[in-house]
């Protein structure tokens, strides 16, 4: 059996866990730089606040309806997600972290287990230990566990947050209830083909001929169909290193000075290199992009990007930053006011297992230097150690005018009981 454990309105629930005054109140969480709504409590959804709403257009609506607006507190959300996933590992060793707020669990060898009761234990422990409410869907396959989770979320009173598909009758009933456009793994293009074939529900999809599905939906669609039929074809995936790492940011304002853009690119490249070392990878290529504000209609539009190939795989901040600065200089044009830039490292290979070059090798002093920089920055936080190409007095800050305290990741923000 498989389970999908999904945290309800995760970002809003994290805020409520430390601020009970927000419970039973409409809450909305904003994206980077306080741009758009990316998470809503159920109360905010009922009031009609849409997902992705630009806050500058909806601020009056939120004020009129007493919707509490908060900036994204990613250090808090990341830490709470880690706590939830750690708790899930107590129930089974086979856990696939699918996103920041949901995970698949595989129950192998759990014979004669009452899964409704077991799912209730999972919900209770997560709620008691973290304050995060969840829903649990359990079924013979991953795709069906997704469907079961939606039912548990849709009907909380009847299911108590846990729904188990453990019979053919329940499977067919759940699939007939599920609209084709709500099924996990069916994108917009596949939806169009299936609707043209007459599929309105997930059950209709399972009634299609296997040969037709293989021809028009590829092997991925066929596996999904079999999963929905109760035949497990989508397995629990192991954690894999990322194939590319990117850091992209909108500037606080518009920037036209090349030196300031080089400083930002240097900071972005430094962050990418740090992420590389965290997953023990090195990169072969660096992608750099630059663009002006596309929302200003009365100015000429300019966006450009370039890829730089490195002579050898590296995770050195010195090498990556130098290459990124050269790249942005090659695409920079004066007389433009730039709004956004980005750096991505690609062609990733394991640091300790890649093809060596005969005539081009990295300076052996870089490895211990990078280790020391990472250790000091982790110990003292806030990136105390920087490169000379960075602004030593500047720390990159998003616009977060409604930011809550970092209750679990900053000693100065922990709750004090008086």
């Amino acid at each position: 059996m498989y389970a999908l454990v999904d945290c309800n309105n995760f970002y809003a629930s994290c805020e409520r866990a430390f601020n009970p005054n927000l419970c039973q109140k409409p809450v909305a969480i904003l994206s980077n730089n306080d741009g758009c709504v990316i998470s809503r409590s159920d109360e905010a959804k009922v009031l009609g606040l849409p997902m992705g709403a630009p806050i500058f257009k909806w601020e009056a609506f939120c004020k009129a309806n007493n919707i509490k607006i908060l900036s994204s507190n990613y250090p808090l959300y990341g830490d709470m997600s880690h706590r939830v996933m750690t708790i899930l590992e107590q129930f089974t060793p086979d856990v696939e972290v699918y996103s920041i707020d949901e995970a698949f669990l595989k129950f192998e060898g759990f014979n004669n287990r009452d899964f409704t009761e077991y799912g209730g234990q999972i919900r209770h422990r997560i709620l008691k230990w973290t304050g995060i409410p969840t829903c649990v869907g359990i079924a013979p396959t991953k795709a069906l566990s997704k469907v079961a989770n939606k039912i548990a979320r849709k009907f909380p009173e009847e299911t108590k947050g846990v729904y188990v598909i453990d019979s053919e009758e329940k499977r067919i009933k759940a699939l007939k209830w599920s609209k084709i456009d709500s099924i996990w793994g069916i994108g917009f293009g596949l939806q169009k083909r299936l609707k043209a074939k007459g599929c309105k529900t997930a059950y209709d999809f399972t009634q299609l001929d296997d040969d037709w599905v293989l021809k028009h939906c590829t092997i991925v669609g066929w596996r999904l169909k079999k999963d929905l039929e109760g035949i497990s074809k989508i397995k629990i995936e192991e954690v894999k290193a990322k194939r590319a790492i990117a850091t992209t940011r909108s500037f606080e304002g518009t920037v036209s000075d090349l030196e300031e853009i080089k400083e930002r690119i240097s900071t972005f490249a430094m962050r990418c290199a740090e992420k590389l070392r965290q997953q023990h990878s090195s990169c072969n290529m660096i992608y750099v992009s630059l663009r002006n504000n596309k929302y200003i209609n009365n100015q000429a539009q300019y966006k450009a990007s370039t890829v730089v190939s490195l002579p050898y795989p590296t995770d050195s901040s010195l090498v990556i930053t130098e290459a990124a600065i050269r790249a942005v200089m090659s695409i920079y044009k004066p007389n433009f006011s730039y709004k956004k830039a980005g750096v991505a490292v690609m062609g990733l290979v394991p640091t300790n297992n890649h093809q060596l070059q005969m005539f081009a090798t990295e300076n052996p002093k870089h490895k211990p230097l990078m280790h020391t920089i990472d250790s000091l920055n982790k110990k003292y936080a806030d990136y105390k150690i920087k490169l000379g190409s960075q602004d030593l007095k500047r720390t990159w800050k998003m616009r977060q005018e409604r930011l809550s305290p970092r209750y679990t990741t900053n000693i100065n923000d922990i709750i004090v009981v008086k």
Side-chain angles (χ1 to χ4, degrees), residues 401-416:
E401 298 172 352
R402 305 172 172 93
L403 185 63
S404 59
R406 292 169 290 178
Y407 300 102
T408 65
T409 60
N410 189 314
I411 192 66
N412 297 315
D413 289 344
I414 63 173
I415 294 176
V416 178

Side-chain angles (χ1 to χ4, degrees), residues 40-158:
R40 306 158 295 162
S41 67
D42 290 334
E43 295 81 3
K45 295 175 185 177
V46 170
L47 290 170
L49 180 66
M51 180 68 95
I55 197 59
F56 75 94
K57 291 184 178 180
W58 288 81
E59 185 134 27
F61 175 87
C62 292
K63 188 174 181 180
N65 289 278
N66 295 316
I67 299 176
K68 179 67 173 179
I69 305 172
L70 295 169
S71 301
S72 296
N73 191 339
Y74 292 121
L76 174 64
Y77 307 152
D79 182 65
M80 294 300 287
S81 173
H82 176 70
R83 294 176 186 224
V84 170
M85 302 309 166
T86 302
I87 293 171
L88 292 178
E89 291 172 356
Q90 298 175 3
F91 290 90
T92 176
D94 298 319
V95 178
E96 177 192 337
V97 179
Y98 187 67
S99 67
I100 192 171
D101 64 343
E102 58 184 332
F104 286 104
L105 284 65
K106 183 180 180 181
F107 301 121
E108 193 166 10
F110 285 63
N111 299 327
N112 303 317
R113 171 73 68 173
D114 183 343
F115 283 108
T116 300
E117 188 268 339
Y118 202 54
Q121 288 184 29
I122 294 173
R123 291 191 72 239
H124 176 74
R125 189 173 300 178
I126 292 174
L127 183 63
K128 185 176 181 180
W129 290 11
T130 68
I132 304 297
T134 58
C135 282
V136 181
I138 302 176
T141 68
K142 285 176 70 175
L144 285 174
S145 71
K146 262 281 191 181
V147 174
N149 185 276
K150 287 182 182 292
I151 293 173
R153 185 78 172 91
K154 182 70 173 179
F155 305 102
E157 295 296 326
E158 295 86 345

Side-chain angles (χ1 to χ4, degrees), residues 13 127 178 181 191 226 236 271 285 306 333 374 417:
S13 294
L127 183 63
S178 303
D181 52 9
Q191 285 177 31
K226 289 299 178 184
I236 291 287
R271 181 65 181 132
M285 296 177 288
T306 186
K333 285 187 178 182
D374 291 340
V417 179

Side-chain angles (χ1 to χ4, degrees), residues 38 84 121 135 145 189 212 272 293 341 355 367:
I38 58 171
V84 170
Q121 288 184 29
C135 282
S145 71
W212 187 93
C272 284
N293 194 336
Q355 181 66 48
K367 291 291 183 188

Side-chain angles (χ1 to χ4, degrees), residues 223-234:
R223 287 177 182 150
L224 176 60
K225 176 179 179 289
K226 289 299 178 184
D227 239 52
L228 292 173
E229 290 174 357
I231 304 170
S232 181
K233 294 295 182 181
I234 306 175

Side-chain angles (χ1 to χ4, degrees), residues 210-229:
D210 280 355
D211 292 336
W212 187 93
V213 173
L214 279 169
K215 181 178 179 180
H216 295 89
C217 307
T218 72
I219 187 67
V220 176
W222 178 82
R223 287 177 182 150
L224 176 60
K225 176 179 179 289
K226 289 299 178 184
D227 239 52
L228 292 173
E229 290 174 357

